[in-house]
Amino acid sequence: MKTTAERRRGAALAAILALLPAAFAGISAVTQAQTPVRSKRQQILDAMPKDPAVLVNVSYGDMPASPDILDLGKRATKALERCLADNVDDDARALCAVTLTAIGDKQALPTLHAALADWNPGVRYQVVRALGAMPDESSVQPLIDLYRRKDEVPYVRHGVIEALGKISDQRVVRLLRGELTKARDEDDEDPRPAIFDALWNSRHLMARTTLVGDTRAALRSDNDSLVQAATLAAAELRSPRLVDALIPLMEHQWPEVRNKAVYALGKIGDKKATKALLERLPKVRESRMLNNIAFALERLDKKAFYEAMPALVNHKQAVIRLNAAFVLGDVRHAEGLPMLEQALDDASDFVRTSAVVAVGKLGDTDASQRQRAQKSLERFVDAPALSVRQEAIYALHQLTEGGRADLIHDRLYKLDSRRHPDVVHRAAVALAQAGDPRVRDYALACLINHRCDKSDVGEYLRSKADDEIKRRMLLAWARGDRRMTGMLSDLKPQGSLPIAEATLEEAWGSPRSGATRSALHVLGSLGQAEALPLVQRRAGSEHTWARVHALVAAARLGDDGSIAKLVGELDLLPAEWLPDFVEAVVAIEEPAVRTKVVAALAPKEKAADVDIALAAAAIHLAWDPETAFFRFLDALASPSGHERDLAAHHLSRSHDRKVTFVMRRALAREGRESTRDRLRALLDARQ
């Protein structure tokens, strides 16, 4: 007999299904069929947490799939260790080492050290990679001993160099610096690029003068890959001592080296490079190099930059004139307007178009310059060339801070969409982003029919959402469009609860599916306690991600006990999965629930396992950057390169402007040179 709640849910579901004739014709309840006999692989998988010897006599062909083993997390460590020690199948041992790499459980270190003596080089290589993924000073000597063996194969030695670079230890620095300058036969494989990269990972252990000296020597080496790696290091170090070694690289045979060298010169900001950059400017034959030199010059000597630009604006080749206009727009200074006005009369439509776009970027100049820029563009709103015309309209819209929507609507959006579909589409998106109600229907159809991305029209549709929009989004989601998950969670259209419950039930046999995750996200966001029993049942899944997302949803629905279970998952998860765990938990929006989760995570932020500690801190960072950033600042200054890298990784995954603000503030106050380098590099990447 059905309960009252089930009858009510069924009645509501029937009402919604009347609107969804095709979407849920096949919906059924959770299957009541008997559980099938479990396969041999499944039986092995079931035994792994309880029987460490279960993999000893398993062939590679009978090994459970890696995702299934990772689902066990650290409960699989002991069985994987025994596999690595006692299984005679080379491929099985290699797979066990690969899986230990992903899990990242340091309890396996002694077993991994012993496995460095494995007879199979492929297994040894995977063991070395595992040790690199779990940096620990206890691994230094075993790895050095392996590296010094004369009979070791080159690719394993290369792996040892990478692994050593991830362990912050002065013994590693001494070894690698000696190897970097070691004389070699011409026939030997040159490991210097890998050695330099490994040293760079331990740069916080080196004196600044030593680090700059090694980078300078690498810039002057005869190995192109080493030179390229050194140009990247030079851009972060920003030492004037590197300028003389960088200047000749502007003529290097590799385009990547040429461009990175110029980029580094711009970051260093030493005016000694100005003359060389000016001399190179007329000889450039590629747009990227032209742009990099121009940006470097503008940073080093603005006066010299603007004195050099007329030669490019008047160049005989249109492609150079085009890129000159692009550069003048991108530096966004009023001094470039007279030259851009000249480019507006260029014979080439492409150059004129580039100049129009560039003028539109001068909105940050003073009022008189903005007015002059607008006046220079008005004559192009009726230009015969459509490319020039539309860019002029968008540039005017940009200069007036969104004040020319009518011009976009009347001159571009009203064009024949069959003849100019791309022009009309761009106009519609621009109008949506300006909040124009006239493109509501277009934007909705565009999103639902996959012609627009959420980033184009999502916020607009949220702001315009009425019952029709909500119903159509619910219908699209019910039909499998998981892009609607976040919007559905925000808008909460009537009837969402039974549809989300039915979706979760329909996907019960596929706990790893996007449908399961999406349904749990929606159920958690709706805040309706009726869904809690179903969510709690799903939280008992043996599959990690179904369990994690269900625990998140249960916490959002008021089940405080699920918070402790959710935090407990951190101790078992593979290290490789921790960033995804952060993303799942950050979806919690309810302030009261966030407060409880942060309190439960507080001890984890201080955990000895830095993978766990920084995952917990990353959740805190998403909700309270001001408070949580101090943990990341400590990590960026840590004696451990691994901890520094983890902190940088989590910070780079966050695109929150508040995080950018606290990073800039920290940079202004930071006195530790290596920490300043990291912060600057992270902020450069955010730009």
Side-chain angles (χ1 to χ4, degrees), residues 134-265:
M134 295 175 262
D136 189 86
E137 63 178 13
S138 67
S139 301
V140 172
Q141 198 57 51
L143 285 169
I144 290 176
D145 292 343
L146 182 62
Y147 181 77
R148 286 176 171 161
R149 285 191 63 135
K150 302 297 184 183
D151 59 347
E152 189 52 88
V153 298
Y155 73 88
V156 174
R157 288 169 60 82
H158 191 282
V160 170
I161 291 170
E162 290 183 352
L164 285 171
K166 295 175 182 177
I167 305 173
S168 301
D169 193 286
Q170 288 293 352
R171 291 170 292 173
V172 172
V173 173
R174 287 193 294 271
L175 171 72
L176 294 179
R177 290 199 70 235
E179 291 293 299
L180 190 63
T181 57
K182 185 177 177 181
R184 301 178 188 280
D185 295 334
E186 289 185 6
D187 295 336
D188 288 347
E189 182 179 344
D190 192 346
R192 287 179 297 169
I195 292 171
F196 185 86
D197 286 341
L199 276 170
W200 184 247
N201 287 337
S202 298
R203 57 194 179 278
H204 58 290
L205 301 180
M206 300 168 66
R208 191 73 169 191
T209 52
T210 301
L211 188 56
V212 171
D214 286 351
T215 302
R216 189 179 184 188
L219 289 170
R220 290 174 166 165
S221 76
D222 57 355
N223 184 300
D224 293 334
S225 295
L226 177 56
V227 172
Q228 182 176 336
T231 58
L232 295 171
E236 183 170 320
L237 291 172
R238 304 188 184 191
S239 170
R241 288 182 57 205
L242 301 173
V243 170
D244 290 342
L246 285 165
I247 287 174
L249 298 179
M250 288 194 289
E251 299 184 32
H252 195 276
Q253 61 179 341
W254 284 14
E256 197 64 25
V257 170
R258 293 197 297 269
N259 281 287
K260 294 298 184 187
V262 172
Y263 177 78
L265 288 169

Side-chain angles (χ1 to χ4, degrees), residues 31 71 91 111 185 215 223 261-262 268 355 361 375 398 403 413 418 420 448 451 458 473 545 551 554 568 634 637 685:
T31 178
D71 240 341
D91 291 333
T111 300
D185 295 334
T215 302
N223 184 300
V262 172
I268 292 170
K361 295 178 180 179
K375 186 176 180 180
Q398 187 173 357
Y413 181 65
R418 290 169 297 182
H420 306 290
I448 288 174
R451 296 197 306 271
M473 286 185 176
W545 291 118
L551 289 169
D634 288 342

